[in-house]
Amino acid sequence: MDDVSWSDEELKACVEAYVEMQRNERTGQLIVKKQYYKKLVEMFGRSEQAFESRMQNISYVLSLMGRGWMTGLKPAKNIEPLVAARVEQLLEQTSGQKVVPVAAFEIAVREATEQKDLPKPSGNPRPKRRRISVAQLQRDPSVKAWVLQQAAGTCESCEKPAPFQGADGLPYLELHYVQGLADGGADAVSNAVALCPNCHREIHYGANAHAVEAWLYDTVQRLERD
Ligand SMILES: [Zn+2]
Ligand SMILES: [Zn+2]
């Protein structure tokens, strides 16, 4: 990536180009990425390679948001959390959908997960609330990272390996707060488990949700009922 930091105009133009290419890909139209890059080079300088790599960053942000990314643009992780947050915002603006921002948090989680001897986070019994277009409880990425490390790729409910690898190459598990944050639960490892998507859906929507929850309290030693 180029050293000079990217202006908002550049990011905006990249996101717009990406969205247009993606739309064309979805509708089965022929896309020549090089033509898009050439246009961007004319507008902003830099190299075509720099824009290609930026497009791969956009794929990465989309993958963190759980959204589809272009097949020819493999997600690339080398993006600053703040820039990722801005890209996420621009993607949201282009799609006209209001979503809870996740990119900066998920990148922070991944960075913390790679840390050896990540200290056990003390957590926060009352996570801070911040005003955004939609309400989101601010979570500590290290809580999720620590729980994922403990789970080591295995669902803490069904005790089976993560069903697939994420686009980031990590075993795909989701964090679940046994007592929901919105219901006053703590953002703490004593209130969080790593679940496979099936078990996560089940604990939210399944007829046996309460039994699953009771089983988790019995078997996952670090869990504490408040
Ligand atoms: Zn499971
Ligand atoms: Zn959950």
Side-chain angles (χ1 to χ4, degrees):
M1 204 180 305
D2 294 11
D3 286 339
V4 187
S5 69
W6 291 61
S7 73
D8 209 50
E9 279 71 26
E10 281 178 289
L11 288 178
K12 218 171 170 167
C14 287
V15 168
E16 279 166 8
Y18 190 105
V19 170
E20 193 180 311
M21 286 194 287
Q22 198 177 24
R23 197 170 37 228
N24 289 343
E25 186 186 56
R26 279 183 182 140
T27 55
Q29 291 178 58
L30 181 75
I31 22 157
V32 185
K33 286 186 289 177
K34 229 174 155 54
Q35 280 179 1
Y36 285 90
Y37 301 158
K38 267 195 179 140
K39 222 157 124 192
L40 290 165
V41 170
E42 275 168 32
M43 286 165 77
F44 301 110
R46 299 189 194 270
S47 60
E48 285 182 25
Q49 188 50 49
F51 286 108
E52 166 101 354
S53 137
R54 214 24 146 191
M55 295 298 171
Q56 291 182 264
N57 290 151
I58 296 174
S59 288
Y60 182 50
V61 173
L62 282 165
S63 79
L64 293 176
M65 295 167 80
R67 290 174 52 182
W69 40 274
M70 285 185 64
T71 43
L73 292 166
K74 196 171 179 285
K77 297 186 192 181
N78 58 331
I79 181 170
E80 295 289 318
L82 280 177
V83 180
R86 182 59 184 148
V87 166
E88 184 177 28
Q89 214 173 39
L90 291 166
L91 284 164
E92 186 193 288
Q93 280 172 14
T94 334
S95 71
Q97 287 175 334
K98 285 273 173 215
V99 291
V100 178
V102 294
F105 175 83
E106 293 301 336
I107 289 171
V109 169
R110 279 155 183 76
E111 281 172 0
T113 308
E114 280 161 23
Q115 217 176 292
K116 269 187 188 157
D117 305 320
L118 183 69
K120 181 180 179 179
S122 53
N124 186 353
R126 285 165 181 257
K128 267 189 228 158
R129 210 176 264 275
R130 71 173 167 183
R131 267 269 164 236
I132 47 170
S133 54
V134 284
Q136 179 194 39
L137 293 155
Q138 270 187 15
R139 297 174 297 154
D140 180 354
S142 64
V143 170
K144 179 169 179 178
W146 194 85
V147 170
L148 288 174
Q149 278 188 347
Q150 295 291 302
T154 300
C155 172
E156 293 184 291
S157 180
C158 66
E159 300 184 331
K160 287 179 192 151
F164 56 88
Q165 226 178 38
D168 59 6
L170 299 173
Y172 187 84
L173 291 176
E174 298 174 345
L175 194 79
H176 174 71
Y177 292 97
V178 187
Q179 170 147 29
L181 297 187
D183 303 322
D187 179 23
V189 299
S190 59
N191 185 43
V193 285
L195 300 180
C196 72
N198 272 349
C199 290
H200 196 190
R201 288 284 140 174
E202 182 177 14
I203 206 163
H204 276 280
Y205 303 110
N208 285 325
H210 288 111
V212 177
E213 197 178 290
W215 190 86
L216 284 170
Y217 274 124
D218 283 342
T219 49
V220 183
Q221 293 306 306
R222 66 170 185 279
L223 290 182
E224 288 165 24
R225 293 175 192 267
D226 44 34

